[in-house]
Amino acid sequence: MSFGRMFFGVVRRDFLSRVRHGQDIVNPLLFFVIATSLVPIAVSPEAGRLTQLAPGMIWITALLSTLLALDGLFAEDYADGSLAQLILSPQPLWLLVLGKVFAHWLLTGLPLIVLSPLLALMLALPTSAYMPLMGGLVLGTASFSLLGAVGAALTVALRQGGMLLSLIVMPFYFPVLIFGTSVVQSAVDGVDFFPIMALLGAFFAFSLALGPIAAAASLKVGING
Amino acid sequence: MTSAPLLEFQNISFLIEDRPLFQGVCGSLTAGEALQINGSNGSGKTTLLQILATLKTMSSGTVSWRGNVASNNIPYRREMAYLGHQAGLKMALSPRQNLLWCNRLFSLDRSGEQITSVLHRMRVLNRADLPCSALSAGQLRRVALAALLLREACLWLLDEPFSALDIEGVDCLVSLLDEHRARGGVVVFSSHHDARMPNVGVLELAAQAGS
């Protein structure tokens, strides 16, 4: 299937060219780790209080760290002129965008998920909540990236687009944040978390269906500016 | 005079914050013709090329290719190659990887030998497997021109194609343009260089008096 080949072609190209700019990948991740690990120091090292804070803290820092990385999603392609080539190619632009978002998520979302049990341990989260946390973060960070792509596309030609980008995408991140933290909280409280996880999954499906199409349309507007 | 124009644009205007950058720009090119866009800095050469490439939306006017409106036109995109100020190359990838990507992105089906031969033609074969970040500006432009050759597009839209090229590179590009025109291709390019080539139409973009 040529769609599949094209998709993995973009993923490979973006992955290879991003891996060599290590800084862009490491910085958001470092932010995630540092911000979360400061909580026991700044608030209280007492396990009971940390457990209360843990779901919210991990999700907030995950959101902010994704937002930090989002700026670079189309910026490099715009600066080196390859974005114009993507737009002018005969391939469907949403497919190229989807590939770019996936490569971006592999390098920003996935490492964050892999590290999250470590941070959960630091914040004294009960082990029963690890799997719900990681599962929720898989769906959540993927939704963050997919929806964030729309904002990144709209602000691609603006020099100081970062602030505007945050304002555009933040309202769409609230549901993910609410469902994501409730999943972890339910697991901590020993309540069935699957219904909320299903809502998170539904939101991911929504982002997957609309995100790339909206981002592709926004890119065409964005480079006009 | 015998054939119908391939590329035709009429009354193109572009406004920036309600002020015209240029107005009423017209032109038409038949097979084998070339058009050089002249104008001072800021007169809109790049913008006009981006409009022709359907990257920017014009305020008014029409662009047509083989008699059909050019925007949202996949056949037009297949036949048109746009090379902007920025070469459109990934710095972390090698020239060869960039050309392989171009091959896939535009569904070209070129062989490895063809890629080698265009790199050889542009004399960057000895740099083919280094990352592009290790190449000079002129070498990057040569790689971008190699990608252009690989496309085998009928219409070339080139923004300052001569910039950063050395004397030999300029000669090479001139011969590329001649060959392209001899094959019936069409070229629109902007340049600060004086008309080096014979039989090139010239479009002057006058800077609008700043009022």
Side-chain angles (χ1 to χ4, degrees):
Chain A
M1 187 66 199
S2 67
F3 267 23
R5 277 195 57 205
M6 200 59 234
F7 174 77
F8 286 111
V10 188
V11 172
R12 188 163 170 275
R13 160 189 178 270
D14 265 48
F15 193 88
L16 286 177
S17 51
R18 266 173 212 283
V19 159
R20 301 191 197 176
H21 297 274
Q23 208 66 25
D24 298 348
I25 307 159
V26 174
N27 278 351
L29 204 61
L30 216 57
F31 168 81
F32 178 62
V33 174
I34 293 175
T36 318
S37 57
L38 285 179
V39 178
I41 302 170
V43 184
S44 152
E46 192 193 321
R49 287 187 69 185
L50 284 177
T51 309
Q52 268 187 338
L53 289 173
M57 274 317 296
I58 295 178
W59 267 93
I60 289 172
T61 44
L63 184 152
L64 292 177
S65 127
T66 317
L67 209 53
L68 208 63
L70 211 55
D71 228 5
L73 181 55
F74 299 115
E76 197 197 283
D77 278 5
Y78 179 71
D80 68 19
S82 53
L83 191 61
Q85 302 297 335
L86 294 185
I87 290 171
L88 292 177
S89 81
Q91 315 296 339
L93 190 54
W94 62 264
L95 184 68
L96 302 175
V97 168
L98 187 63
K100 287 188 72 65
V101 171
F102 184 65
H104 188 258
W105 179 80
L106 278 181
L107 290 169
T108 57
L110 196 61
L112 194 143
I113 295 159
V114 173
L115 277 179
S116 63
L118 191 72
L119 299 176
L121 183 72
M122 226 178 323
L123 296 182
L125 199 70
T127 40
S128 62
Y130 283 17
M131 285 321 282
L133 173 70
M134 291 174 77
L137 279 176
V138 171
L139 296 172
T141 52
S143 310
F144 287 157
S145 293
L146 285 162
L147 292 171
V150 183
L154 279 173
T155 56
V156 69
L158 306 178
R159 228 161 293 149
Q160 300 293 331
M163 193 63 197
L164 188 60
L165 168 63
S166 314
L167 288 173
I168 293 171
V169 299
M170 203 54 96
F172 297 99
Y173 283 3
F174 290 156
V176 181
L177 195 62
I178 294 167
F179 298 142
T181 48
S182 334
V183 166
V184 187
Q185 196 58 56
S186 310
V188 172
D189 298 341
V191 189
D192 184 14
F193 58 81
F194 273 107
I196 310 171
M197 188 73 102
L199 283 174
L200 205 55
F203 203 81
F204 166 69
F206 166 78
S207 326
L208 184 64
L210 291 185
I213 297 172
S218 309
L219 267 184
K220 290 180 186 164
V221 178
I223 61 155
N224 233 320
Chain B
M1 308 308 116
T2 49
S3 53
L6 285 175
L7 179 73
E8 203 169 16
F9 48 97
Q10 281 170 338
N11 285 320
I12 296 185
S13 304
F14 188 78
L15 305 177
I16 295 180
E17 287 170 3
D18 293 336
R19 283 204 190 160
L21 181 62
F22 48 73
Q23 277 178 315
V25 176
C26 300
S28 80
L29 290 99
T30 58
E33 282 193 319
L35 181 68
Q36 175 171 357
I37 304 173
N38 277 348
S40 51
N41 292 343
S43 58
K45 300 188 292 293
T46 297
T47 304
L48 180 58
L49 279 165
Q50 286 175 337
I51 287 172
L52 294 179
T54 69
L55 281 170
K56 266 205 162 85
T57 315
M58 56 204 146
S59 307
S60 65
T62 54
V63 177
S64 56
W65 174 251
R66 296 189 196 277
N68 299 315
V69 175
S71 66
N72 290 323
N73 182 340
I74 298 279
Y76 178 60
R77 281 195 211 163
R78 283 190 193 278
E79 288 195 272
M80 177 262 294
Y82 168 77
L83 177 57
H85 269 282
Q86 273 73 36
L89 303 170
K90 280 288 162 209
M91 287 299 144
L93 305 181
S94 71
R96 197 188 299 278
Q97 284 172 318
N98 269 299
L99 292 198
L100 283 168
W101 164 249
C102 171
N103 185 28
R104 180 175 286 194
L105 182 65
F106 291 96
S107 312
L108 298 177
D109 275 332
R110 306 281 185 266
S111 66
E113 290 86 61
Q114 277 171 302
I115 289 176
T116 304
S117 92
V118 290
L119 285 169
H120 178 69
R121 173 82 208 260
M122 294 314 301
R123 314 226 168 144
V124 279
L125 193 55
N126 56 345
R127 298 280 186 278
D129 298 305
L130 290 176
C132 279
S133 50
L135 272 60
S136 75
Q139 286 172 327
L140 288 175
R141 186 126 299 254
R142 283 161 182 264
V143 177
L145 289 169
L148 177 73
L149 274 181
L150 199 68
R151 288 282 308 277
E152 293 178 9
C154 181
L155 168 62
W156 287 1
L157 300 173
L158 314 176
D159 197 357
E160 302 284 353
F162 292 102
S163 69
L165 287 177
D166 56 17
I167 296 169
E168 184 234 308
V170 169
D171 290 342
C172 184
L173 176 54
V174 169
S175 68
L176 287 186
L177 293 176
D178 287 342
E179 283 168 31
H180 179 63
R181 294 172 63 188
R183 280 193 302 264
V186 177
V187 191
V188 182
F189 66 100
S190 67
S191 178
H192 287 303
H193 289 247
D194 296 327
R196 288 167 178 278
M197 288 177 291
N199 313 318
V200 173
V202 173
L203 177 70
E204 285 289 343
L205 282 183
Q208 297 283 327
S211 52

